[in-house]
Amino acid sequence: MNAPFEVVVGTTDRAGTAAFFGAMGFEEVAPGSLRVPGAASGGIGLERADEPGEPPVPFSLGPSAIDIYTRSIEEASELLAATGASLGKIGELNLGPLQLRQRRVLGPDFLPLVLVETESRRSSVLDTDPDRLCSEVHSVVWTVADIEAERAWCDARTCSASPAFGFEAPGVSDLLDLPRSPVPTRMCMISDQAVNPIRLELMSFPEDPGPHRPGRPVAGIWALRSESTGPPGKLRSP
């Protein structure tokens, strides 16, 4: 499987959404196509949505966030706030050697984006551009009901799927504004063999089944697009 090269985002405010990503260094290289200079992938493809997006609902199933690395959550947050974005709490996640600071930011149409600050980054344009504040799209988080079933489905399609692991961390509740803390959580990563961006992070809340997020024609994260699949595709089930 080739790694997806862009996230398909439905929006009722194309100019506002382009400005939102522009605050992080994305540039429009073609109508509706946003890229970070120097990055081979990790772009955004904008498409017109017929209905505005909806606020996030805790534990909801479906696409949950676009993850982007940053060298400074505070600096990136200031730039995004200037576009009218809504800033959530900063959540800290400590999983052994992996330590993260994260903040969810809601852009136009309540588009969910998570800024990720860590010294343990996977590959991104930040590796080769020391002056850049934010990376291309690092990953997309997708909440599923049965993480093992989705992992097996991806495995059968020549994706590289890491083993699922479970944890309970207050930082997840802070990040996603969940109603209690901590919450049992399971995650795994789906990628190409080289683990290039864009990666797909599957997440589940085994004790907290949630409703399905609305899809097309409601604005939001619609799909991942790869050169091998052509038209936007999506997971077998949310």
Side-chain angles (χ1 to χ4, degrees):
M1 181 200 79
N2 294 329
F5 67 89
E6 71 177 10
V7 184
V8 181
V9 171
T11 177
T12 62
D13 181 3
R14 181 164 159 172
T17 304
F20 174 72
F21 284 100
M24 295 176 285
F26 285 73
E27 298 178 359
E28 191 160 15
V29 298
S33 181
L34 310 179
R35 296 289 185 272
V36 169
S41 62
I44 299 293
L46 300 180
E47 296 192 6
R48 185 178 66 84
D50 295 330
E51 300 178 24
E54 300 179 1
V57 175
F59 309 117
S60 58
L61 302 176
S64 301
I66 295 170
D67 281 7
I68 289 180
Y69 286 132
T70 180
R71 299 187 193 278
S72 169
I73 279 183
E74 286 77 13
E75 290 183 39
S77 296
E78 184 175 351
L79 294 173
L80 289 168
T83 72
S86 173
L87 306 179
K89 298 177 183 177
I90 294 178
E92 297 189 1
L93 187 61
N94 299 304
L95 300 173
L98 180 61
Q99 300 185 13
L100 306 169
R101 298 176 71 230
Q102 302 177 98
R103 166 176 270 166
R104 185 170 65 180
V105 180
L106 299 181
D109 287 306
F110 299 100
L111 180 69
L113 179 139
V114 171
L115 296 169
V116 181
E117 182 182 334
T118 178
E119 296 298 321
S120 303
R121 294 191 304 263
R122 295 186 182 274
S123 61
S124 79
V125 72
L126 298 185
D127 300 334
T128 56
D129 188 345
D131 297 324
R132 183 163 293 279
L133 176 63
C134 297
S135 74
E136 70 273 58
V137 175
H138 148 52
S139 66
V140 169
V141 180
W142 209 288
T143 303
V144 299
D146 186 339
I147 200 168
E148 294 299 344
E150 298 295 350
R151 182 177 175 277
W153 184 82
C154 291
D155 257 343
R157 283 151 181 80
T158 69
C159 308
S160 176
S162 69
F165 64 96
F167 60 94
E168 296 185 24
V172 173
S173 296
D174 292 338
L175 173 68
L176 301 179
D177 197 23
L178 300 180
R180 67 179 195 282
S181 179
V183 171
T185 307
R186 288 180 62 77
M187 293 193 74
C188 78
M189 177 175 287
I190 309 296
S191 69
D192 67 1
Q193 295 296 324
V195 199
N196 291 317
I198 299 171
R199 302 111 183 163
L200 176 63
E201 296 184 29
L202 301 184
M203 179 169 63
S204 69
F205 301 102
E207 296 182 7
D208 299 276
H212 291 266
R213 290 182 62 86
R216 295 173 185 258
V218 176
I221 303 167
W222 280 357
L224 299 177
R225 180 180 281 134
S226 68
E227 294 177 354
S228 62
T229 57
K234 66 175 185 178
L235 288 180
R236 176 177 59 87
S237 64

